[in-house]
Amino acid sequence: MHSVGARVTGIGEAHPSQLDDELKSWLHGYEQVPSVVDEGALYDAVRRCQRREWVDRLECTIEAHIITTAKVREATRIPGPSVQSAMLCRDKPMMKEFLRKHDIPCAQSTGVDSLEEGITFARRVGFPLIVKPRAGAGASGTTRVNDEQHLVQTLQEMNVGRGASVALEEFIEGHEGFYDTLSINGRPVFEFVSHYYPNVLDAMRNRWITPYIVSTNRIDASGYDDLKAMGRKVIEVMELGTTATHMEWFYGPKGLKFSEIGSRPPGVGQWDVYADGNDIDIYREWANAVVHGRVERRPSRRFASGIIALRPDRDGRIRGYEGLEEVQRRFGQYICRSHLPPAGWPTQPIEAGYMANAWLQMRHPDYDSMREIFEIIGRTVKVRAG
């Protein structure tokens, strides 16, 4: 924001002394709060800013901050996505019910507050089913259940019937990916399509899998027309306005299905991946969209780009890498950035995501070649821990 002419005041939990010099150079001001999800504290911080000067926008990028930010934005009369839009983005059953009314194809779903509600839904829809937090992000806390006994056990473990509420969804078979945008006044000015290999739930539950994500540079191919049309309609009917969006989808025997959307940038470093593949500073263009209502550059689509997670073979501490030198020799020219924790570094659980341990971000002019390289890396590199 600073680079395109905005005066930026940060609001965060860190003490000002913890901010590094580069970050401080971008800030016009800073307000410390006990918690950024404390609505009262965030409101007071924004009002202090408003007493000093006019505030045009209030932005956040973290899923858990979306609703609190929207409520404070509305209370302080700052433009941006509404509380209603934020609620739809966070509450998955509410989101899907709303979009089904607008003819967006979604998996059957419901919010479950009791074991009886879960069993009734399961007997109507059938197994397998997906159980997930109503307001979770990604695959965090998500479980596939294959029978009634497993369903009851999972709901009990998630405290359903003791005050907790979860989302219960029909399991959709098929390939999984995501459609991301930078949108201005509800119209995407940047669009990106990425593919998971394998699907997220499989990747997050099996240590032996080396998962990767590839963003295509063939987005103008006719095979993506239905996906782009669906994504644009979701952004329009949810009235998301000027924001980054991240929408998950499935395609399989039941056709194209919407999964969920957030009014935020994607995780796992995907904006860096898009920048690498498209010769743009996507962070600056996001700032241009928010501050000036326009972008300066368009994606080049020169490269397919992506990330591959390199997982330790067990929990503990990193002992070393096998096959890494071969990969760097064969494919080093395509590596954009990497994270390779040294020997002795503590491992993180695989459920922590694609960037929890070692990873490579890469690009290649050809999408199929990019996929083939990731497959070779998955077979070649071994991360040893103990």
Side-chain angles (χ1 to χ4, degrees):
M1 301 295 178
H2 170 78
S3 68
V4 300
R7 299 211 298 184
V8 181
T9 295
I11 301 176
E13 298 164 7
H15 188 273
S17 64
Q18 295 176 277
L19 307 182
D20 63 47
D21 291 339
E22 184 179 33
L23 178 57
K24 288 179 181 177
S25 72
W26 298 335
L27 295 179
H28 169 65
Y30 181 75
E31 295 286 338
Q32 185 182 8
V33 294
S35 170
V36 291
V37 294
D38 180 331
E39 185 178 336
L42 183 59
Y43 174 85
D44 289 343
V46 172
R47 292 295 291 142
R48 288 195 295 272
C49 296
Q50 289 181 313
R51 284 193 288 272
R52 293 195 297 268
E53 59 192 341
W54 181 263
V55 176
D56 290 285
R57 300 283 299 195
L58 179 62
E59 296 291 315
C60 70
T61 60
I62 304 299
E63 182 82 14
H65 304 168
I66 296 293
I67 291 179
T68 304
T69 302
K71 289 180 177 179
V72 171
R73 187 188 291 124
E74 196 166 279
T76 54
R77 300 180 181 273
I78 296 173
S82 68
V83 173
Q84 172 68 11
S85 295
M87 290 291 292
L88 289 173
C89 285
R90 289 289 283 152
D91 189 299
K92 293 176 174 60
M94 183 188 301
M95 175 196 301
K96 287 186 169 67
E97 181 180 357
F98 175 85
L99 291 176
R100 277 192 290 266
K101 291 178 180 178
H102 288 83
D103 299 320
I104 303 294
C106 305
Q108 298 180 74
S109 62
T110 188
V112 172
D113 301 307
S114 69
L115 299 180
E116 292 75 19
E117 289 177 344
I119 292 169
T120 298
F121 178 83
R123 290 177 177 173
R124 177 171 61 83
V125 175
F127 291 96
L129 295 171
I130 297 295
V131 186
K132 59 174 70 175
R134 291 186 70 121
S140 177
T142 299
T143 302
R144 171 176 165 165
V145 295
N146 296 315
D147 55 50
E148 194 166 299
Q149 180 180 354
H150 190 193
L151 171 63
V152 171
Q153 177 187 342
T154 301
L155 294 180
Q156 289 174 333
E157 290 172 352
M158 298 178 76
N159 292 316
V160 173
R162 296 191 295 274
S165 180
V166 300
L168 194 56
E169 297 181 1
E170 168 192 18
F171 176 79
I172 297 294
E173 179 185 354
H175 175 66
E176 183 180 8
F178 50 94
Y179 165 81
D180 292 339
T181 79
L182 177 62
S183 291
I184 298 176
N185 297 325
R187 183 179 64 84
V189 292
F190 289 171
E191 295 176 292
F192 307 99
V193 175
S194 299
H195 298 265
Y196 288 112
Y197 297 100
N199 289 354
V200 175
L201 199 56
D202 292 332
M204 292 299 102
R205 298 299 182 266
N206 296 287
R207 179 183 294 276
W208 60 268
I209 290 174
T210 302
Y212 60 91
I213 300 168
V214 183
S215 174
T216 183
N217 57 343
R218 302 172 181 170
I219 191 172
D220 294 327
S222 60
Y224 291 112
D225 289 348
D226 289 346
L227 173 60
K228 290 186 288 185
M230 180 175 72
R232 293 167 185 169
K233 184 174 181 180
V234 170
I235 293 166
E236 177 187 359
V237 300
M238 290 181 65
E239 299 180 348
L240 295 181
T242 298
T243 183
T245 73
H246 173 66
M247 189 191 89
E248 306 268 345
W249 52 268
F250 285 89
Y251 184 82
K254 296 182 179 180
L256 179 63
K257 296 283 187 178
F258 169 89
S259 180
E260 58 189 68
I261 191 170
S263 58
R264 58 168 176 83
V268 295
Q270 279 303 114
W271 266 19
D272 293 328
V273 167
Y274 297 153
D276 292 335
N278 292 279
D279 304 300
I280 54 173
D281 182 341
I282 194 168
Y283 300 95
R284 180 182 175 88
E285 297 305 339
W286 172 57
N288 274 318
V290 170
V291 175
H292 302 300
R294 56 173 172 77
V295 293
E296 293 177 339
R297 300 184 62 182
R298 297 289 172 176
S300 68
R301 313 293 185 197
R302 276 209 306 151
F303 300 96
S305 50
I307 181 171
I308 183 167
L310 305 174
R311 291 166 159 177
D313 57 0
R314 67 199 68 198
D315 292 327
R317 292 184 177 274
I318 299 296
R319 293 170 52 198
Y321 299 85
E322 297 175 8
L324 190 58
E325 290 185 0
E326 179 185 346
V327 163
Q328 290 173 329
R329 176 180 57 80
R330 293 180 63 186
F331 307 122
Q333 62 182 311
Y334 306 122
I335 298 173
C336 302
R337 60 186 62 82
S338 63
H339 176 65
L340 300 165
W345 196 268
T347 67
Q348 300 299 317
I350 62 169
E351 294 83 2
Y354 290 73
M355 302 185 84
N357 293 288
W359 49 263
L360 303 173
Q361 289 181 346
M362 305 179 69
R363 69 181 186 180
H364 191 281
D366 181 71
Y367 174 84
D368 294 320
S369 297
M370 185 75 268
R371 280 203 61 199
E372 183 179 356
I373 290 170
F374 278 147
E375 291 286 343
I376 293 171
I377 292 172
R379 295 191 299 268
T380 304
V381 176
K382 307 299 178 186
V383 185
R384 302 302 186 190

